[in-house]
Amino acid sequence: MDKIVIEGCHRLEGRVRINGAKNAALPIMAACILLNGPSRIKGIPDIVDIQTQSEILKNLGGEIKRFEDGTFEIIFRDGENADRFIAPYELVKKMRASICVLGPLLSKRRKAKVSYPGGCVIGQRPIDLHIKGLKALGAQIETAEGYITAAADRLKGTEISLMGQYGTTVLGTCNVMTAAVMAEGTTIIEHAACEPEVQDLANFLNKAGAKIAGIGEDRLIIEGVRELNGVDYEIIPDRIEAGTFMIAGAITKGDITLENVRTEHLTAVIDKLRDIGVEVVADNNNARIKGSSLYHNVDLTTLPYPGMPTDMQAQFMALLCTVEGKSIITEKVFTDRFMHVPELIRMGADIRIEVSSAIIRGKPFLSGASVMVSDLRAGAGLVLAGLVAKGTTQIDRIYHLDRGYERLEERLSKLGAVIKRISD
Ligand code: EPU
């Protein structure tokens, strides 16, 4: 298993280009099941989760080609592969997002059998809202032997609320939307997720011929259509990758410029960085991050979009561990997503968990240690902490990082970090 080793305390400087958004690319790739003919999609990052999604789609009869410039061609053809509707455990277990083939399969092939994604290290991840939405559209759904089996004749439009105990659901909205675009009649999704990645999926589907209104609002109105066709499309830049690099600049008190950023997708992140004392200058599709030696402690709460993303929580925690004073981070999306806390404590951080909040007393410095990654964003938080820790930090289980960040260590190294990957 590969490791990352970082020698801390090097200031970052320079420019880095942000890739297309993983969490937009995954459901958009799955939505290609609905389309007749080839789609050419630009900006899909070269990461392990995309490889997993490609395997799942190939297993369902998709033809997938990646060109040298990174563009993907994905082809499904109407009338072919009607008998292929299974996403097996061996593939689904690698990545929860594979659940987003459920809606497109059900709509297009009238049947879907998808391995239950189960819980995961960031806390309970039920799919009751996905199932509720698909049942409302007329699907019969059973869960047995670790699989969700869904069947329907043509789905029928209806009114559905996706409000759950912790707010709405991102992939649940994607699943219900992709099922509804070819349903008979009109579907109204109340309490739909508004995340930019959900908007990107809706824009992709509209380009392919769907009729989705209310994109970016919490009420989607979808007129079912009979056919959707392959399109050329470019995925939005990854706001979480951008936010992670922003904190890399801030935590090392550096001066870096991110290219290919949609700062309007990062309002909550940028506002909080400015409250801390980081200078953020947005200019067209670039964002310049200038760190300072005078930062202020802050409190933050993760919320669905446009609030602070839960996927930025671990990265902000790393930064706040180095800012003197008491900061409180409250996690409202995945209430026990704190697996990075014991690892940050190993690096000298002072953090106490109380229910779904982390109380952080910032210190002037962290110290290098051996730590282990539990999930993708926890890993990003540990890398950021390693960039400023005194001495050497060794990070194990970095396959989690490879799921979502393309060549992270190479790109940080180009900015001046002393970081390398060690393969066993
Ligand atoms: N929830 C339910 N019932 C459901 C679905 C979700 O109660 O049927 C709850 C969850 O337990 C959680 C909350 O609703 O408390 C939000 O979960 P959501 O369904 O929105 O999460 P997701 O769609 O499974 C996506 C991202 C995650 C990101 C969350 C929240 C992808 C592939 N994954 O997950 O990204 O944290 O939305 O924004 O889009 C990551 O990239 O590292 C990652 C984990």
Side-chain angles (χ1 to χ4, degrees), residues 129-150:
L129 296 169
H130 302 229
I131 292 178
K132 175 185 159 192
L134 297 176
K135 275 188 172 167
L137 287 167
Q140 293 94 50
I141 302 191
E142 282 174 21
T143 51
E145 296 169 353
Y147 278 82
I148 306 144
T149 308

Side-chain angles (χ1 to χ4, degrees), residues 46-324:
D46 189 12
I47 52 174
V48 172
D49 274 7
I50 294 295
Q51 291 160 14
T52 305
Q53 191 73 317
S54 299
E55 281 179 59
I56 289 171
L57 296 182
K58 281 181 190 162
N59 203 48
L60 292 166
E63 293 164 35
I64 301 184
K65 203 165 20 168
R66 184 172 187 274
F67 294 99
E68 240 170 49
D69 68 350
T71 302
F72 271 65
E73 183 178 70
I74 305 180
I75 312 177
F76 284 90
R77 289 192 186 84
D78 279 4
E80 291 180 9
N81 302 303
D83 56 337
R84 292 166 91 164
F85 55 87
I86 300 174
Y89 174 70
E90 296 69 44
L91 293 173
V92 174
K93 72 174 180 195
K94 295 188 189 169
M95 179 184 72
R96 189 188 147 85
S98 37
I99 189 72
C100 53
V101 298
L102 184 59
L105 277 178
L106 181 63
S107 171
K108 192 74 182 184
R109 303 197 179 162
R110 309 275 189 251
K111 264 184 181 175
K113 185 172 176 186
V114 180
S115 174
Y116 210 93
C120 93
V121 284
I122 65 173
Q124 283 296 314
R125 296 184 77 181
I127 52 159
D128 54 312
L129 296 169
H130 302 229
I131 292 178
K132 175 185 159 192
L134 297 176
K135 275 188 172 167
L137 287 167
Q140 293 94 50
I141 302 191
E142 282 174 21
T143 51
E145 296 169 353
Y147 278 82
I148 306 144
T149 308
D153 293 328
R154 190 166 182 214
L155 297 166
K156 284 206 171 62
T158 183
E159 207 167 316
I160 302 159
S161 160
L162 290 180
M163 179 52 79
Q165 196 183 346
Y166 303 105
T168 182
T169 162
V170 171
L171 290 178
T173 304
C174 294
N175 255 331
V176 177
M177 179 166 45
T178 45
V181 281
M182 295 183 84
E184 190 183 327
T186 305
T187 301
I188 298 177
I189 307 179
E190 302 280 3
H191 307 114
C194 310
E195 269 66 6
E197 296 76 18
V198 179
Q199 297 181 34
D200 211 31
L201 170 65
N203 287 326
F204 170 79
L205 288 166
N206 274 356
K207 198 165 182 204
K211 291 190 178 158
I212 304 169
I215 298 175
E217 293 163 23
D218 65 358
R219 184 169 200 260
L220 293 172
I221 303 165
I222 304 170
E223 298 287 344
V225 296
R226 279 273 173 193
E227 63 168 48
L228 297 171
N229 291 301
V231 284
D232 288 356
Y233 196 75
E234 181 160 0
I235 304 278
I236 53 168
D238 195 314
R239 64 193 168 108
I240 306 301
E241 186 179 88
T244 304
F245 274 102
M246 284 179 176
I247 294 188
I251 205 168
T252 62
K253 308 194 187 327
D255 181 352
I256 65 172
T257 299
L258 316 186
E259 298 166 1
N260 192 34
V261 190
R262 294 272 294 268
T263 46
E264 72 272 25
H265 294 162
L266 281 151
T267 308
V269 169
I270 292 173
D271 281 356
K272 199 52 79 176
L273 284 172
R274 287 182 175 146
D275 288 350
I276 292 171
V278 181
E279 196 181 329
V280 183
V281 184
D283 172 25
N284 290 323
N285 286 346
N286 292 344
R288 183 169 178 188
I289 312 301
K290 285 205 239 173
S292 131
S293 47
L294 189 66
Y295 286 153
H296 314 288
N297 53 315
V298 295
D299 296 342
L300 65 88
T301 301
T302 66
L303 288 168
Y305 189 79
M308 173 63 72
T310 171
D311 290 343
M312 285 301 301
Q313 185 251 104
Q315 299 91 316
F316 267 102
M317 190 179 293
L319 175 59
L320 292 172
C321 284
T322 67
V323 175
E324 275 187 74

